[in-house]
Amino acid sequence: MVHLPQLIYDLGLILAAAGVTTLIFKRIKQPLVLGYILAGFLVGPHFSLVPTIADAQSITVWAEIGVIFLLFSLGLEFSFKKLVKVGGSASITAIVEVIFMLFAGYAAGRIIGWSHIDSIFLGGILSISSTTIIIRAFEELGVKHKQFAGLVFGVLIVEDLVAILLLVLLSTVAVSQQFAGTEMLTEVFKLLFFLTLWFLGGIFLIPTFLKRTRKLMNDETLMIVSLALCLLMVIFATKVGFSPALGAFVMGSILAETPQAERIEHLTKSVKDLFAAVFFISVGMLINPYTLGEHFYSILIITAVTVLGKFLSSGLGALLSGQTLKTSVQTGLSLAQIGEFSFIIATLGLTLKVTSEFLYPIAVAVSAITTFSTPYLIRFSEPFYNYIEKKMPERWVRGIGQYSSSTEKITSSNDWKMLLKAYAMNLTIHSVILIAIIFISTKFIHPQIVKYSGSELNADLVSLLFSILLMTPFLWALAGRRIEKHAYTHLWLKRRIHRGPLIAIEIFRIILAVCFIGFAIYLIMHTWYAVLIAVVLLGLLIVIFSNRLQVFYEKLEKRFLVNLNSRDLSNQYSDIVPWDAHLTELEVSPESSLAGKTLNELAFRERYGVNVALIERGRLAIPTPVRDERLFPNDKLTVIGSDEQIAQIKKHLEVSSQVNEDVQFSKKDLQLQKVKVLHQSQVCYKSIRDSGIKEITSGLIIGIERNDQRILNPESTLVFQPDDIVYIVGNKKRIKDFFTQNV
């Protein structure tokens, strides 16, 4: 008898259960995540009516792989450039919400009577909303074009990065069992350092690698290479002390900046879906109904804290950022749930064995309840806003409107702001690069040179020379490169009082570069005597080869910027538009009656007040299209308008694939038929054109047999005669009904 490994048996069992539950949840139009969780509960150890998996350890390993690919997928949708373009409104809203929910979750846990560490993790669990659930709800409700949806997507992007930071901080808290301020601050700086380094290195290398191997990359190869890069970054992140999830997220966000991002996302979707399903099933396996019954009131309290707390904090954050009352209310109710990141944070607590066993199933139960409630809250948000506006004092409503309008007019850009921003970016980027070079030289290169040279002094000199050569272009960029020349010159000539701070900034840059040199020499040679000599030699090198250094550095910078901008942005325009208008993206459905027409014929601006800012057709981008530009099926339009204006054209552009039954026509209904014309038939003695057969049945007459003669492709003027045999292609039922209908 052939022996079947237990892992295959268990995998077949959980996927079978998942298949049944997801079909049911698809039928009742509920998120599939809940179906996976239910499947996990059914095959888990706490439910005995169906077979139970035996090798839970192997499923746990698969679930960890699921977390990796789930975070990799989120990274592909994240993109650091999106974070930069999110704007202040989304950032302020996200930060206010996360901070409020951290404290609210901690307070709720302590009030219930939970331990200090359980309450901390509860705050982390409640602070992050669910990207998957919100996007699914927006698609089902058809509100992705509305103004508040753009703000919600921006908040979710910021929350993704905050969630990664929370994973690091909660790991530190779990290990130290207390708020060690210095240790946590060290971890934050360590995280920011490696994020910056990975982003710079990844953008510099990976897009170039993918570009040069593009001709060798078919779908299979690109998928393998992408997953390999993901797992390599996972290994690297683990080696430097971070979680595997962080590495997967970072690699996803790097690949999100490449032109192949959409293709990679499409190719890895099946892998992500499979392993993510296993992860969510493993979540359901940990649900103990007795635990849920025992903590029933805690679940209700935490659910109320989640919905109410997220509504208040997100709404308040949106108001503070200058959004209107309507947008703030809609944003707050849209974000009132927890999801996949909450499961990952709860899993972290269990893995580190620092949280109680009841916390995980409670988090799952709260997520399930808020997942069900999310579509209803989004649908209820506009009526709720109308109710609030009626009940709120008129002067409050007027004050909020004035505050919102005034924030749109704030433009504080000036020379000092531009200059300081550029200098801060310059110092941060090159400091990270220099620290990385010093670290690699002292920890890896120097020990290898010592090992093979046999002379420690020679090894020190070679290592030092190698380090300085690597550091020289970046030291020049840090200390000597002119930044924002126009703003600098304007400030220098405008007022003499500005010259002192400008000189101080330049001196600080030089001192910082000298400190990096001294630090590298001290780590390699353990003496300060050589610092002066090294500084003098470096100065001579920079003076002598300054032009070559500038050319070399500009090549490096150009390559980085080309890679960074290699992916066409879907939105090339500012999000600052007048009144309540905003940018959104619509797609021309193949079924749309507008496809094939020019913008001049459609007259979007004249009829609806909507402007088309961009047309994307495959890899072709057409900014500010002319009036003679024609729309084609699957074109993506970036349009500017209000919610109501965009909704009017959306129903014409994005036609549902479920067309009306009266006009629905499927391939299986298309048949070649033979029909006899009877004397009493309504088509008898009428021409093909006057009979209306084409208009009513969509049928195509290809031949008529009359008196043993065949007439192929008859003219439309041919008149039907009794006993004609008509050969027609079309829907069998419609044609039969049409020909048998009496006059």
Side-chain angles (χ1 to χ4, degrees):
M1 183 176 178
V2 178
H3 173 68
L4 185 67
Q6 188 63 46
L7 176 61
I8 298 178
Y9 173 85
D10 289 341
L11 186 61
L13 182 63
I14 64 174
L15 291 182
V20 173
T21 54
T22 50
L23 285 174
I24 295 172
F25 274 71
K26 192 78 173 177
R27 179 70 176 175
I28 62 177
K29 297 182 179 180
Q30 292 298 326
L32 297 186
V33 172
L34 296 179
Y36 293 139
I37 294 173
L38 178 60
F41 170 71
L42 294 177
V43 300
H46 305 294
F47 190 81
S48 58
L49 297 182
V50 298
T52 303
I53 67 165
D55 189 4
Q57 186 63 35
S58 296
I59 300 300
T60 302
V61 175
W62 283 53
E64 291 179 3
I65 299 174
V67 173
I68 289 172
F69 289 133
L70 183 64
L71 268 293
F72 178 65
S73 176
L74 287 174
L76 283 171
E77 299 172 1
F78 171 78
S79 169
F80 282 99
K81 288 173 77 174
K82 284 185 182 179
L83 180 63
V84 173
K85 289 186 171 292
V86 152
S89 296
S91 301
I92 293 171
T93 304
I95 292 170
V96 171
E97 180 203 351
V98 170
I99 294 175
F100 183 91
M101 293 308 299
L102 281 171
F103 284 102
Y106 177 79
R110 298 299 287 171
I111 291 172
I112 295 171
W114 290 0
S115 67
H116 180 66
I117 196 72
D118 283 341
S119 301
I120 292 174
F121 269 81
L122 178 63
I125 288 170
L126 300 188
S127 61
I128 307 298
S129 300
S130 173
T131 303
T132 304
I133 294 169
I134 290 175
I135 291 177
R136 172 68 182 271
F138 279 6
E139 288 176 348
E140 291 179 349
L141 297 174
V143 297
K144 289 177 68 175
H145 66 283
K146 294 196 173 182
Q147 186 172 5
F148 78 92
L151 178 62
V152 171
F153 289 143
V155 171
L156 292 173
I157 290 172
V158 178
E159 282 189 354
D160 285 344
L161 188 60
V162 173
I164 295 297
L165 180 61
L166 277 178
L167 288 175
V168 176
L169 296 181
L170 290 174
S171 300
T172 305
V173 171
V175 172
S176 62
Q177 293 290 309
Q178 59 181 347
F179 283 107
T182 304
E183 187 175 354
M184 289 184 65
L185 192 60
T186 302
E187 288 295 323
V188 171
F189 277 112
K190 180 181 176 183
L191 173 64
L192 295 177
F193 170 78
F194 277 104
L195 282 178
T196 305
L197 181 63
W198 288 336
F199 179 73
L200 292 174
I203 294 298
F204 188 77
L205 297 174
I206 291 176
T208 301
F209 166 73
L210 293 177
K211 182 179 180 180
R212 293 183 178 179
T213 58
R214 181 176 53 190
K215 294 183 179 179
L216 304 175
M217 292 280 192
N218 57 17
D219 287 350
E220 179 183 359
T221 309
L222 182 59
M223 183 187 72
I224 297 299
V225 169
S226 302
L227 296 180
L229 289 172
C230 169
L231 294 177
L232 286 174
M233 183 59 81
V234 165
I235 295 170
F236 188 51
T238 306
K239 290 292 185 182
V240 297
F242 294 118
S243 67
L246 173 62
F249 182 83
V250 169
M251 181 50 66
S253 63
I254 291 173
L255 291 174
E257 308 295 353
T258 65
Q260 293 89 344
E262 291 86 357
R263 187 179 169 200
I264 293 172
E265 187 175 358
H266 173 72
L267 293 174
T268 58
K269 185 178 185 299
S270 298
V271 179
K272 184 264 295 185
D273 288 344
L274 172 63
F275 286 103
V278 176
F279 166 68
F280 288 119
I281 290 168
S282 70
V283 169
M285 288 165 53
L286 295 174
I287 296 178
N288 187 339
Y290 297 104
T291 302
L292 297 182
E294 183 180 350
H295 295 275
F296 177 74
Y297 292 105
S298 298
I299 293 172
L300 292 181
I301 292 172
I302 295 171
T303 301
V305 170
T306 301
V307 175
L308 186 60
K310 281 182 170 288
F311 165 65
L312 292 176
S313 58
S314 302
L316 178 61
L319 280 176
L320 291 175
S321 67
Q323 297 298 315
T324 63
L325 180 61
K326 180 180 180 180
T327 300
S328 301
V329 171
Q330 291 176 314
T331 300
L333 290 176
S334 299
L335 293 166
Q337 80 292 118
I338 59 175
E340 55 276 1
F341 259 122
S342 302
F343 298 150
I344 295 171
I345 292 173
T347 303
L348 176 67
L350 281 182
T351 304
L352 298 175
K353 301 185 186 313
V354 294
T355 57
S356 303
E357 293 185 358
F358 59 77
L359 181 60
Y360 197 98
I362 287 177
V364 175
V366 173
S367 175
I369 296 172
T370 54
T371 297
F372 276 118
S373 66
T374 294
Y376 301 101
L377 291 175
I378 296 173
R379 191 180 292 116
F380 176 67
S381 62
E382 190 164 350
F384 186 59
Y385 154 73
N386 294 330
Y387 174 79
I388 291 177
E389 188 180 33
K390 290 179 181 178
K391 296 296 182 181
M392 186 179 290
E394 186 178 345
R395 57 189 179 88
W396 290 17
V397 176
R398 188 168 57 253
I400 293 173
Q402 291 174 350
Y403 174 75
S404 175
S405 301
S406 64
T407 55
E408 293 181 359
K409 300 176 182 178
I410 297 176
T411 54
S412 57
S413 179
N414 52 49
D415 290 332
W416 270 115
K417 182 180 178 180
M418 293 171 56
L419 192 67
L420 293 177
K421 183 179 179 180
Y423 271 98
M425 184 70 70
N426 180 66
L427 293 176
T428 301
I429 290 175
H430 295 105
S431 295
V432 167
I433 295 173
L434 290 170
I435 292 172
I437 292 174
I438 294 171
F439 177 79
I440 293 172
S441 299
T442 56
K443 297 296 182 181
F444 297 100
I445 298 175
H446 182 254
Q448 293 298 319
I449 296 176
V450 171
K451 180 179 177 181
Y452 290 104
S453 67
S455 171
E456 188 169 348
L457 179 60
N458 292 337
D460 290 346
L461 293 175
V462 172
S463 300
L464 183 60
L465 179 61
F466 180 78
S467 300
I468 290 179
L469 285 175
L470 286 180
M471 294 169 63
T472 300
F474 304 105
L475 287 170
W476 171 83
L478 176 67
R481 187 187 182 207
R482 294 295 301 272
I483 303 171
E484 288 290 346
K485 296 179 182 179
H486 179 76
Y488 189 97
T489 304
H490 186 259
L491 286 171
W492 183 270
L493 298 176
K494 185 178 181 180
R495 296 181 64 184
R496 296 178 63 89
I497 195 173
H498 290 161
R499 298 183 181 182
L502 292 174
I503 294 173
I505 291 174
E506 297 300 327
I507 293 174
F508 173 76
R509 294 172 65 191
I510 296 172
I511 292 175
L512 186 61
V514 172
C515 289
F516 278 120
I517 299 171
F519 184 56
I521 294 173
Y522 179 76
L523 289 179
I524 294 173
M525 305 190 71
H526 305 290
T527 177
W528 292 104
Y529 295 114
V531 173
L532 181 60
I533 299 174
V535 170
V536 173
L537 290 176
L538 183 65
L540 290 174
L541 287 173
I542 291 176
V543 171
I544 295 172
F545 300 105
S546 60
N547 291 333
R548 293 185 180 181
L549 284 174
Q550 181 175 352
V551 171
F552 178 71
Y553 180 83
E554 287 177 352
K555 287 183 179 179
L556 295 178
E557 186 180 52
K558 181 180 179 180
R559 176 174 164 182
F560 177 83
L561 293 175
V562 167
N563 288 346
L564 184 63
N565 298 309
S566 59
R567 180 183 180 186
D568 291 331
L569 293 177
S570 61
N571 184 357
Q572 301 179 5
Y573 302 92
S574 171
D575 59 355
I576 303 175
V577 290
W579 307 293
D580 60 345
H582 60 98
L583 287 169
T584 193
E585 187 178 278
L586 302 175
E587 185 170 346
V588 182
S589 300
E591 301 87 359
S592 174
S593 60
L594 306 186
K597 296 182 179 180
T598 65
L599 294 179
N600 187 32
E601 294 170 336
L602 296 172
F604 284 150
R605 179 184 297 177
E606 292 79 6
R607 295 180 183 176
Y608 308 108
V610 172
N611 293 283
V612 179
L614 173 71
I615 298 177
E616 290 180 282
R617 186 173 298 145
R619 295 185 178 180
L620 177 65
I622 307 172
T624 57
V626 297
R627 297 178 65 84
D628 294 333
E629 189 65 48
R630 197 174 298 275
L631 297 188
F632 291 95
N634 299 317
D635 278 357
K636 292 181 179 179
L637 311 182
T638 300
V639 300
I640 305 173
S642 65
D643 288 346
E644 294 74 16
Q645 293 169 339
I646 293 173
Q648 287 182 329
I649 67 167
K650 185 176 187 292
K651 62 184 179 182
H652 297 296
L653 284 172
E654 298 186 348
V655 180
S656 172
S657 59
Q658 297 179 345
V659 294
N660 191 288
E661 291 184 359
D662 294 336
V663 297
Q664 190 173 8
F665 202 88
S666 61
K667 187 176 179 180
K668 66 181 181 180
D669 294 327
L670 196 65
Q671 297 180 8
L672 177 61
Q673 302 165 65
K674 184 170 69 172
V675 184
K676 186 174 183 178
V677 178
L678 301 177
H679 179 76
Q680 65 271 24
S681 174
Q682 65 171 341
V683 302
C684 193
Y685 303 115
K686 289 184 179 180
S687 66
I688 295 175
R689 179 188 300 164
D690 296 336
S691 67
I693 188 170
K694 184 176 181 180
E695 293 78 10
I696 298 174
T697 69
S698 299
L700 175 64
I701 298 175
I702 62 171
I704 295 178
E705 188 174 330
R706 176 183 296 170
N707 300 325
D708 297 328
Q709 292 183 352
R710 291 182 178 177
I711 306 171
L712 298 178
N713 301 319
E715 297 291 335
S716 61
T717 56
L718 184 70
V719 177
F720 289 112
Q721 300 294 331
D723 299 325
D724 279 354
I725 304 297
V726 181
Y727 293 88
I728 182 170
V729 177
N731 183 281
K732 184 176 182 180
K733 184 177 184 304
R734 292 182 186 177
I735 293 173
K736 182 181 178 182
D737 292 342
F738 182 81
F739 274 90
T740 56
Q741 187 174 352
N742 296 331
V743 178

